[in-house]
Amino acid sequence: MKVVYYGYREWSFKIFNKLKITNKYLVTHKDYSIIDTIKPDLVFFVGWSDIIPKEIIENNLCVCLHPSPLPKYRGGSPIQNQLLKNEKNSMVSLFIMDNGIDTGDILFQSPISLLGELDNIFNEIVREGIKGINFIVDNFQEIPIFKKKQDLDSGTFFSRLKPTDSELKVEDFIEYGPEYFHNKVRGLSSPYPNAYIKCKNGEKLYILKTRYS
């Protein structure tokens, strides 16, 4: 079996290193020509935020890792959007990619905690991501049997946050409580655009860490 694995975030490398397969190929940039060269059985996209060409999805078995309890929190910035909604628990979902946005058949789901700092959440994703991808590789021949369609009518969709969404505005302090700001700050820890307050002189005061109890 041959696997091509696309990922560029540090936590996604940790999953790749634990894959129990010899013929695995890590790609960290937008070079899809390697798929035609290697002709893999499976293509994984883990922590990958670029749009995948339609022909790649239609001509290969592509599997994406999405850190949410799909079909809930489809779309971009799933960790941040869940934290902003004060979710305490989530899931690692692995699904077959189609031409929709996070709409494909689910192959694996396992619960994770959203408590702690962002690095703690990444560690949760890594742990369950290793289990999930190895499960799919080990049970490759049975995929048609255990894949499960998503009930999209019961799901939710959120757009990807923009860098300007990292601003903590005065009206936000009026509308939301302290837990909201704690969740926003920790969800926007590096490598994401950090939360900030815009000062009167136009400069940005970055808020890197908060405490809430």
Side-chain angles (χ1 to χ4, degrees):
M1 170 178 258
K2 292 180 288 187
V3 166
V4 170
Y5 181 106
Y6 283 84
Y8 63 89
R9 299 198 183 278
E10 183 179 349
W11 61 265
S12 69
F13 299 155
K14 295 178 182 179
I15 297 177
F16 175 80
N17 291 334
K18 292 292 185 179
L19 297 190
K20 299 183 297 183
I21 183 171
T22 302
N23 294 323
K24 58 182 182 180
Y25 304 86
L26 175 65
V27 186
T28 61
H29 52 284
K30 291 190 291 184
D31 179 9
Y32 302 109
S33 62
I34 191 173
I35 294 176
D36 291 330
T37 302
I38 294 176
K39 301 189 185 315
D41 300 286
L42 281 164
V43 184
F44 288 100
F45 292 90
V46 180
W48 193 261
S49 57
D50 291 307
I51 299 298
I52 313 303
K54 180 179 178 181
E55 59 270 19
I56 297 296
I57 293 174
E58 292 181 345
N59 295 316
N60 299 274
L61 183 53
C62 297
V63 177
C64 181
L65 185 152
H66 191 78
S68 88
L70 290 177
K72 294 182 178 179
Y73 293 98
R74 293 170 42 241
S77 307
I79 298 173
Q80 290 74 21
N81 279 311
Q82 288 174 88
L83 292 178
L84 290 175
K85 293 294 184 181
N86 202 27
E87 300 283 4
K88 301 295 193 294
N89 297 287
S90 183
M91 282 189 169
V92 162
S93 297
L94 288 155
F95 66 94
I96 298 174
M97 300 175 73
D98 57 20
N99 289 321
I101 300 177
D102 306 325
T103 55
D105 294 347
I106 292 174
L107 301 179
F108 175 90
Q109 285 187 309
S110 187
I112 59 172
S113 170
L114 294 179
L115 301 179
E117 300 301 326
L118 190 58
D119 283 344
N120 300 116
I121 297 173
F122 286 152
N123 289 337
E124 294 268 313
I125 295 172
V126 168
R127 185 190 68 233
E128 299 310 315
I130 292 169
K131 291 181 186 177
I133 293 182
N134 280 322
F135 170 81
I136 292 169
V137 171
D138 290 343
N139 296 276
F140 173 71
Q141 299 297 333
E142 283 72 47
I143 284 178
I145 299 173
F146 66 77
K147 67 179 182 179
K148 181 179 68 175
K149 286 192 177 298
Q150 295 191 49
D151 180 10
L152 298 178
D153 291 336
S154 66
T156 54
F157 179 89
F158 291 84
S159 298
R160 183 177 304 281
L161 298 182
K162 304 181 293 296
T164 52
D165 293 322
S166 295
E167 182 180 0
L168 304 177
K169 301 178 180 179
V170 173
E171 52 266 34
D172 293 337
F173 285 95
I174 297 173
E175 183 174 355
Y176 300 106
E179 190 171 15
Y180 171 87
F181 294 100
H182 174 66
N183 287 334
K184 185 166 185 174
V185 169
R186 69 190 178 102
L188 292 172
S189 299
S190 298
Y192 300 108
N194 300 139
Y196 66 90
I197 296 172
K198 189 177 290 184
C199 302
K200 287 185 177 180
N201 62 2
E203 293 185 356
K204 295 178 181 179
L205 174 64
Y206 289 96
I207 311 297
L208 302 182
K209 194 167 184 178
T210 58
R211 181 182 297 175
Y212 176 81
S213 59

